[in-house]
Amino acid sequence: MSITQPATIPSPPAGQQLATVPMRFEVTPVPVTDFDRAKAFYQQLGWQLDIDHQFTEQVRAVQLTPPGSSASIQFRPAGAERLQRLLLIVSDIEAARTELIDRGIAVSDIFHALPGEAPQPGRDPDGRSYVSHATFADPDGNQWVLQEVNERIPGRVQ
């Protein structure tokens, strides 16, 4: 019988030279083929519409923010690329998944996996942070990952 040691998440190195000028990550551009379809999808998620403004015939700004987040997404015209593994941190993955399903969003089953290991069905039986996930995609194939986090990496800003 083997004993599995609990996974530990390393802290940032002591003495790390951190920047002194505050820099806030606020917006991620998300590639979409149809701004109106994408806007409807993200509003269906329950995200706040911050702006929808047509600056010129060719330039439209659409920005939405997930509930509880200080970072937003802005639409940009899509090329061939799609974004993968955009993380949405939740404190209760089951509640978050249920709410999205109730809003009509197709969400994967919950699974758990430590880095480098194959995913296993269901929520992490030990309830560890960063281990339980579920995924969904927008109409353009940009993939979002719900990740359950209740205890942050030491030194990580809440």
Side-chain angles (χ1 to χ4, degrees):
M1 179 167 133
S2 68
I3 298 174
T4 303
Q5 296 296 321
T8 58
I9 299 170
S11 298
Q16 180 180 352
Q17 296 276 330
L18 298 178
T20 58
V21 176
M23 297 178 205
R24 292 184 309 272
F25 182 78
E26 291 197 6
V27 179
T28 295
V30 174
V32 300
T33 56
D34 180 323
F35 278 39
D36 289 319
R37 178 181 71 172
K39 176 183 163 186
F41 175 81
Y42 286 98
Q43 286 184 298
Q44 185 177 352
L45 292 175
W47 293 17
Q48 177 180 310
L49 178 64
D50 300 325
I51 186 173
D52 183 352
H53 184 74
Q54 191 78 44
F55 288 96
T56 69
E57 193 173 313
Q58 294 82 24
V59 179
R60 179 178 177 190
V62 177
Q63 178 173 307
L64 297 105
T65 303
S69 179
S70 57
S72 305
I73 61 168
Q74 286 179 350
F75 298 157
R76 67 175 174 83
E81 78 293 347
R82 297 297 180 264
L83 301 180
Q84 299 298 307
R85 298 198 48 79
L86 294 160
L87 291 174
L88 292 170
I89 305 306
V90 298
S91 60
D92 184 336
I93 197 157
E94 291 166 342
R97 181 178 181 273
T98 297
E99 180 173 349
L100 291 177
I101 290 170
D102 289 349
R103 290 175 169 274
I105 306 300
V107 184
S108 75
D109 290 336
I110 295 171
F111 60 94
H112 66 279
L114 292 172
E117 293 183 2
Q120 300 296 316
R123 193 174 168 279
D124 178 50
D126 297 324
R128 295 171 288 189
S129 285
Y130 303 98
V131 180
S132 297
H133 307 89
T135 64
F136 66 92
D138 73 10
D140 287 289
N142 295 297
Q143 183 195 52
W144 292 88
V145 178
L146 299 174
Q147 182 181 53
E148 187 174 74
V149 175
N150 288 301
E151 185 178 332
R152 291 280 183 178
I153 295 171
R156 175 73 169 96
V157 176
Q158 290 291 345

